[in-house]
Amino acid sequence: MIEEILNTIKQHENYKGQIVKIYELNGVDYKRCEVPSFIDERVRKALERLGIFSLYTHQVEAIEALKNGFNVILTSSTASGKTLAFNIPVLDALYRNKKATALYLYPTKALAQDQLEKLKLFSEFPIGTYDGDTPQDERIYLRNKGRIIIANPDILHVGLLPNHLLFGRFLSNLKFIVIDEAHYYSGVLGSHFAMVMRRLRRILSYYGSFPQFFLSSATLENPEEFSFKLVGEHFKWIKGPALSPFKKLFVIFNPAIVNETLNIRKSTLSEAIWIVETLLNQGKNVIVFEKSRKGVEILSKQLKERIGNTFEISPYRAGYTVTLRREIEKRIKSGQVRCVVSTNALELGIDIGELDATVIVGYPGTLSSLFQQSGRSGRVKESITFFIVSSNPLDQYFTKDPEYLFSNKFESISIDLDNPYIIKPHLACAAYEVPLSPDIDSEYFGNYFGNGVKELESNGTIVKKSEHFFLNSKTSIASQFSLRSTGEEHIRLIDMETGKTIEKMSKKRALEEAFPSAVYLHLTETYVVKKMDLENGVIYLKKEQTDFYTDALAIETIWIEKTIREKQLRHINVYFGEVVVEEVIRGFVKKQFFTDRKIETCPLDLPKIEFKTKAMWFTIEDSIVNKIKSVEDLPGSIHALEHALVGMLPIIVQCDRKDIGGVSHPKHPDTNLTSIFLYDGVEGGIGITEKAFERVEDLLNITFKSISLCPCKEGCPSCIYSPKCGNENKPLSKNGSILLLKEILS
């Protein structure tokens, strides 16, 4: 019984009350019904061969919605049969129409390969993965004969769309486009992918093809809005169960305090080793999730040194060869590997067999990811999850308000359809694929289309012939920009030992992440920056092993350019609009891996960064300001609140902490009032602070709980300290920020 594991842990000498809360999640009774009678007999027989004689009700709802002509977004828990919900109607259509085709899109090659194996169990249609690893002869075969092509966003962007004439047969007969793990597409990648979808739809229109879309996703806060932004068409939302059919214990585990004054806790890795050893000794098969690749290797090494003679333990992460990953997956499925330590590479739906326990080391960044990782165990029987929180404010929030995890509140997914730095290169790509027509294409590309075309024409990127715009080049520019960044990538990172360019990035990102002496992680290797030559657009790095990482210390100034939306919330006025941010990297701090202990602060002299983006800000009435001034330091109070708001924002909007910034000002010159700003840290904005504007009351309430329930006296890394504060967390007033929030929310 899984309850025995908890008793063993509580009786151990290491136990100091680390268990914050235990949730017993009883399995949900999934209602079943018959396979719809309209499904082709050949599909029904294939299901019976696999032992499937009935379906879940949410699967049937999705199948019937597709039959009735709707685009569908299905949200449900892991192991709830989302894959069957789209495979059945797709195969049904392919059997009924001998020319019909379908396109499946997956965020990773590993997931695409996993889906291929599942589809092969169903049918003998010509099916294959089309990606960078696909041999040339197989590519030709799929273009000429393929009925289902399984691809990823990158190959769609650089391979299929620019060369769509080679795919004429396939695209002309396309009936379904499946986008699995749709919640993966947020922020920069999501905004780019939304443009790729619009390019795809206009090409399909050229071929007279109007397929239905099926989006499969973990639970979202805004599924219908998200699916419309991602694809540009309306969807019907099918809401599946949020929990597994099997019982699960979910344990929130806060490492033991080692210094009460500073609120410093034991390393999450040392606690993870103890828990994993306990689980293995109890006969459980375990998956451990660690956020960083370096953490995966270190945790695997320490586990092997401690218990490797008794149990087989294997790391798993991106950067391994395809052959090695397949071998590890096979050994996990067979039970030969008893414990796998992985990055989020195994978070998504790759089939790795039956697991009894999940150990999550640090909050993975989103609630969707947390429950996806937890759901990797317990797919066929009862299970247990240990969520070991780190000391950062986001993790610690769940120890102060554990009920939030199961309150059915999820992050909004941010996609920005008006970012010129993202839209412009896609307009140029679209002009190459099918000449741009202002009357038609403004419907695909939205408000910025007209200005974007003017800018591209003025700089000679596109040329007007008759009433259409053509790319002024014989080749597409798709390969010249990444779907994971904005702006032009002019800076090359060069490995000094090999002379090879290992990565390209924008000047802004280079100054923030690849400054002189920075520790930079690329794939599986750690590099140290030795020289920055911005004039020639190169940065030189050398491969070195370090026991520390680096964080840039930035000082920001912000100026309002345009207010787009505004509203009043109790005692504050809240705004969303366009801003200009000036950022100076004044130094960096070295911190020890895993403990985050500060080693030293080093100065830097780098050029100023200036960029346009979008922001949410609010102004505070003078009456409230005067109350705070009478008892606390005002600059310290608003500075502390700004830090805490930035730290809590990823609970409200799906984003990474590094994608957002904050500025506080006792009397900002553009507002003439005390003001706090949160801004998108990406040129042009990616929709994060727009969602923050919409859910600002949720954000303020969560931030109040985070600060007021923290046991520290004057502030700590678990509530108001920021690892990237250019002023090194001075001044800060914890009490002042609490009083300020009370006044705002009263």
Side-chain angles (χ1 to χ4, degrees):
M1 295 290 289
I2 52 178
E3 286 83 358
E4 293 175 10
I5 296 166
L6 296 175
N7 292 332
T8 302
I9 286 173
K10 287 179 179 179
Q11 291 166 13
H12 197 278
E13 61 181 14
N14 288 348
Y15 187 69
K16 309 293 181 188
Q18 292 99 314
I19 293 176
V20 175
K21 187 88 174 180
I22 301 167
Y23 287 93
E24 185 172 322
L25 307 175
N26 293 315
V28 176
D29 183 20
Y30 284 21
K31 293 181 180 178
R32 287 187 170 273
C33 52
E34 292 183 355
V35 178
S37 58
F38 58 79
I39 295 298
D40 189 277
E41 186 65 24
R42 286 162 288 190
V43 178
R44 297 165 71 89
K45 285 183 177 178
L47 290 169
E48 289 170 6
R49 283 199 307 272
L50 297 172
I52 300 169
F53 298 93
S54 62
L55 297 175
Y56 297 136
T57 53
H58 62 276
Q59 293 172 324
V60 173
E61 284 180 45
I63 292 167
E64 290 179 341
L66 280 178
K67 184 177 186 295
N68 291 329
F70 291 100
N71 296 314
V72 169
I73 177 166
L74 170 62
T75 62
S76 65
S77 71
T78 53
S80 60
K82 291 191 288 288
T83 302
L84 267 185
F86 56 77
N87 275 343
I88 290 173
V90 167
L91 293 171
D92 176 69
L94 266 59
Y95 274 121
R96 293 177 185 278
N97 181 342
K98 292 183 179 180
K99 291 184 177 181
T101 60
L103 175 65
Y104 283 29
L105 295 172
Y106 284 86
T108 67
K109 292 179 184 178
L111 271 173
Q113 194 66 38
D114 193 62
Q115 178 58 230
L116 177 63
E117 299 305 317
K118 290 176 182 176
L119 277 169
K120 283 180 177 178
L121 297 174
F122 267 95
S123 73
E124 296 179 357
F125 288 124
I127 301 169
T129 56
Y130 197 103
D131 56 39
D133 297 330
T134 307
Q136 187 62 29
D137 58 344
E138 193 172 333
R139 291 186 180 204
I140 295 170
Y141 174 76
L142 287 172
R143 291 197 297 259
N144 293 336
K145 302 288 185 182
R147 300 291 301 281
I148 300 178
I149 289 179
I150 306 170
N152 58 60
D154 300 285
I155 200 71
L156 182 64
H157 165 55
V158 300
L160 195 154
L161 298 185
N163 301 294
H164 64 84
L165 293 174
L166 298 175
F167 293 84
R169 175 204 64 87
F170 182 84
L171 296 174
S172 297
N173 295 290
L174 193 62
K175 302 303 178 190
F176 291 103
I177 297 174
V178 173
I179 303 173
D180 202 2
E181 308 289 358
H183 59 278
Y184 186 85
Y185 301 105
S186 68
V188 173
L189 176 60
S191 301
H192 272 296
F193 189 64
M195 292 299 113
V196 171
M197 285 294 98
R198 282 149 179 80
R199 285 164 52 198
L200 173 60
R201 284 175 49 232
R202 67 190 292 274
I203 287 172
L204 290 170
S205 177
Y206 169 80
Y207 286 100
S209 182
F210 301 94
Q212 288 174 266
F213 286 83
F214 190 111
L215 271 58
S216 165
S217 174
T219 306
L220 303 174
E221 188 272 337
N222 54 335
E224 290 158 305
E225 176 199 353
F226 163 71
S227 53
F228 178 77
K229 280 190 170 183
L230 191 69
V231 174
E233 293 192 7
H234 291 286
F235 281 72
K236 182 173 184 177
W237 176 27
I238 306 297
K239 187 177 181 181
L243 295 175
S244 162
F246 304 101
K247 176 183 173 181
K248 180 184 284 286
L249 292 185
F250 191 99
V251 183
I252 301 175
F253 193 96
N254 200 9
I257 287 182
V258 294
N259 185 321
E260 280 196 34
T261 305
L262 299 176
N263 199 26
I264 295 174
R265 297 179 178 273
K266 280 185 75 173
S267 157
T268 53
L269 288 189
S270 63
E271 299 281 50
I273 290 168
W274 165 40
I275 290 172
V276 170
E277 184 176 10
T278 303
L279 290 166
L280 291 172
N281 285 330
Q282 293 272 344
K284 305 302 179 187
N285 290 341
V286 185
I287 183 167
V288 184
F289 285 101
E290 218 293 327
K291 286 190 284 187
S292 73
R293 293 167 179 169
K294 192 177 185 75
V296 165
E297 296 296 345
I298 290 175
L299 182 53
S300 300
K301 182 174 182 288
Q302 291 183 0
L303 280 167
K304 284 180 180 180
E305 288 173 353
R306 184 163 175 137
I307 51 177
N309 293 331
T310 310
F311 307 104
E312 182 168 346
I313 295 157
S314 175
Y316 184 102
R317 55 169 171 74
Y320 290 168
T321 64
V322 174
T323 305
L324 178 57
R325 288 203 306 269
R326 295 288 172 271
E327 178 60 28
I328 295 171
E329 290 163 19
K330 191 183 297 182
R331 282 167 37 220
I332 298 168
K333 278 185 188 178
S334 69
Q336 187 178 346
V337 169
R338 292 286 311 284
C339 173
V340 58
V341 183
S342 176
T343 58
N344 62 0
L346 283 178
E347 174 187 312
L348 302 177
I350 301 169
D351 184 7
I352 50 172
E354 299 178 14
L355 296 167
D356 306 296
T358 303
V359 178
I360 302 169
V361 185
Y363 184 57
T366 69
L367 291 172
S368 296
S369 291
L370 184 73
F371 290 119
Q372 287 275 111
Q373 292 181 2
S374 175
R376 301 308 281 151
S377 62
R379 296 171 78 89
V380 294
K381 57 186 174 182
E382 67 176 18
S383 63
I384 188 167
T385 291
F386 285 89
F387 170 31
I388 306 175
V389 299
S390 74
S391 61
N392 76 51
L394 209 54
D395 287 45
Q396 286 296 312
Y397 179 77
F398 299 115
T399 68
K400 302 162 189 172
D401 185 15
E403 303 297 332
Y404 189 87
L405 284 176
F406 299 97
S407 63
N408 290 321
K409 294 179 181 177
F410 288 87
E411 306 94 348
S412 300
I413 290 188
S414 61
I415 290 177
D416 194 317
L417 300 177
D418 297 314
N419 184 322
Y421 301 97
I422 289 176
I423 298 172
K424 270 196 294 187
H426 286 285
L427 287 176
C429 288
Y432 174 83
E433 292 151 6
V434 177
L436 292 171
S437 173
D439 292 341
I440 297 171
D441 289 319
S442 58
E443 294 184 18
Y444 288 106
F445 296 105
N447 299 330
Y448 184 72
F449 176 79
N451 288 335
V453 167
K454 284 180 184 176
E455 289 180 34
L456 290 171
E457 185 183 20
S458 66
N459 65 26
T461 302
I462 61 175
V463 293
K464 188 174 184 180
K465 297 178 182 179
S466 185
E467 296 302 314
H468 297 85
F469 291 90
F470 295 75
L471 185 69
N472 192 17
S473 170
K474 293 182 179 179
T475 57
S476 173
I477 68 160
S479 62
Q480 297 176 23
F481 67 98
S482 166
L483 298 183
R484 289 160 180 80
S485 63
T486 62
E488 296 177 337
E489 299 183 326
H490 286 319
I491 308 297
R492 293 182 298 129
L493 272 57
I494 297 176
D495 184 336
M496 293 177 71
E497 293 178 356
T498 65
K500 292 182 178 179
T501 298
I502 61 170
E503 199 168 328
K504 292 180 181 179
M505 59 176 58
S506 66
K507 181 179 177 181
K508 175 182 178 294
R509 187 178 160 210
L511 288 166
E512 291 173 339
E513 298 181 23
F515 46 82
S517 298
V519 174
Y520 190 82
L521 192 66
H522 174 73
L523 294 180
T524 60
E525 303 293 346
T526 303
Y527 292 81
V528 175
V529 176
K530 298 299 182 182
K531 183 182 177 183
M532 173 180 269
D533 182 358
L534 294 176
E535 190 174 332
N536 292 304
V538 291
I539 292 173
Y540 295 95
L541 309 90
K542 191 173 182 181
K543 202 179 293 184
E544 290 183 11
Q545 289 297 319
T546 69
D547 62 352
F548 63 89
Y549 65 95
T550 52
D551 269 335
L553 300 175
I555 296 176
E556 301 93 354
T557 309
I558 196 164
W559 306 97
I560 299 169
E561 283 219 326
K562 179 183 177 182
T563 299
I564 298 172
R565 299 168 68 183
E566 61 182 277
K567 64 182 179 182
Q568 187 168 6
L569 174 67
R570 301 187 191 182
H571 301 294
I572 58 172
N573 290 313
V574 190
Y575 305 87
F576 170 73
E578 296 172 359
V579 297
V580 174
V581 176
E582 295 176 358
E583 190 176 276
V584 176
I585 309 295
R586 56 163 286 267
F588 67 95
V589 61
K590 292 181 180 179
K591 294 181 181 177
Q592 194 170 50
F593 274 120
F594 310 118
T595 66
D596 298 325
R597 183 180 64 83
K598 180 178 171 182
I599 299 170
E600 65 173 325
T601 300
C602 306
L604 285 171
D605 183 16
L606 296 175
K608 179 175 69 176
I609 305 167
E610 183 176 301
F611 62 99
K612 291 184 178 182
T613 186
K614 295 190 177 80
M616 177 208 83
W617 65 95
F618 59 87
T619 57
I620 304 166
E621 296 174 1
D622 286 340
S623 58
I624 294 177
V625 168
N626 291 332
K627 282 185 184 179
I628 302 301
K629 278 183 177 179
S630 67
V631 290
E632 290 290 343
D633 175 58
L634 178 65
S637 301
I638 59 174
H639 191 195
L641 178 52
E642 170 224 315
H643 280 186
L645 288 167
V646 170
M648 290 296 104
L649 185 52
I651 290 183
I652 300 297
V653 186
Q654 187 169 310
C655 64
D656 192 292
R657 168 65 181 79
K658 68 181 181 182
D659 291 335
I660 42 181
V663 174
S664 55
H665 202 292
K667 203 172 187 72
H668 193 277
D670 287 343
T671 65
N672 205 32
L673 291 166
T674 299
S675 306
I676 294 177
F677 294 78
L678 303 181
Y679 64 86
D680 289 9
V682 174
E683 287 182 284
I686 48 173
I688 296 171
T689 52
E690 183 175 15
K691 282 293 167 196
F693 171 85
E694 293 170 4
R695 298 184 63 186
V696 64
E697 189 166 10
D698 288 341
L699 177 59
L700 290 166
N701 279 311
I702 282 173
T703 303
F704 176 71
K705 285 183 181 178
S706 173
I707 305 172
S708 62
L709 296 177
C710 190
C712 70
K713 291 182 179 179
E714 297 182 355
C716 70
S718 296
C719 59
I720 61 172
Y721 284 12
S722 168
K724 297 181 181 294
C725 179
N727 292 309
E728 298 191 63
N729 291 300
K730 296 174 185 176
L732 292 177
S733 170
K734 178 182 177 180
N735 287 337
S737 66
I738 293 171
L739 290 173
L740 183 54
L741 280 167
K742 283 181 178 178
E743 290 291 334
I744 289 171
L745 293 169
S746 64

